[in-house]
Amino acid sequence: MNHSLEEIVHAEKQLQQAMVNNDVQALEQLLHDDLVFIDAEGNVQGKRDDLESHASGAVVQTAVEFVEEPVMQFYGESAIVAVKAHVKVRVQGKPLEAFCRYLRVWLFQDERWQIISGAVHIIA
């Protein structure tokens, strides 16, 4: 199947909206069951960890604004995205604001794009 960069841009926008809206149902569809994600503290998280942090209110992202054009590359049924974002978040009720660099690996499976791996690094 041929995929386009527009599909990934659309998936990234869906993810951005789901994070800001704390939409656990949308995140359920966007995250692969076998997700491996490295958070800003270097911890490895899976899909359940990510969904639970949103559902419990432990992590509430109030703004996610992409501040650069993403770097995207296709490899068959997968795509790699690197993007810089200005993020406002409340962690355990404490407000934080930072510029972050995200690396995500998307996999096209079950007729949709899903994040199977990723990492975030706080840069400022």
Side-chain angles (χ1 to χ4, degrees):
M1 175 179 237
N2 290 332
H3 297 288
S4 69
L5 288 178
E6 289 77 27
E7 290 177 58
I8 299 302
V9 169
H10 179 71
E12 285 282 332
K13 286 181 181 176
Q14 286 180 310
L15 177 64
Q16 181 183 22
Q17 289 176 336
M19 290 188 304
V20 171
N21 295 331
N22 206 36
D23 187 342
V24 176
Q25 216 171 3
L27 290 169
E28 171 76 36
Q29 293 298 305
L30 291 165
L31 302 178
H32 193 279
D33 288 344
D34 296 329
L35 173 72
V36 174
F37 187 81
I38 308 301
D39 68 18
E41 288 81 37
N43 300 310
V44 177
Q45 294 193 8
K47 180 176 181 173
R48 291 289 140 225
D49 302 316
D50 191 278
L51 294 176
E52 286 173 17
S53 70
H54 287 278
S56 70
V59 175
V60 177
Q61 291 185 314
T62 57
V64 177
E65 178 187 349
F66 298 152
V67 296
E68 291 179 353
E69 286 296 313
V71 175
M72 297 184 279
Q73 197 70 17
F74 276 104
Y75 298 96
E77 297 288 294
S78 56
I80 297 173
V81 176
V83 66
K84 182 179 178 181
H86 181 239
V87 177
K88 294 180 182 178
V89 63
R90 284 194 321 268
V91 179
Q92 304 294 337
K94 180 183 175 186
L96 300 169
E97 186 173 340
F99 285 95
C100 297
R101 177 78 61 190
Y102 290 92
L103 178 66
R104 290 189 266 271
V105 178
W106 291 86
L107 176 66
F108 191 79
Q109 191 174 52
D110 299 329
E111 301 302 315
R112 68 183 190 276
W113 286 102
Q114 303 170 64
I115 300 168
I116 192 157
S117 184
V120 62
H121 180 73
I122 298 172
I123 53 178

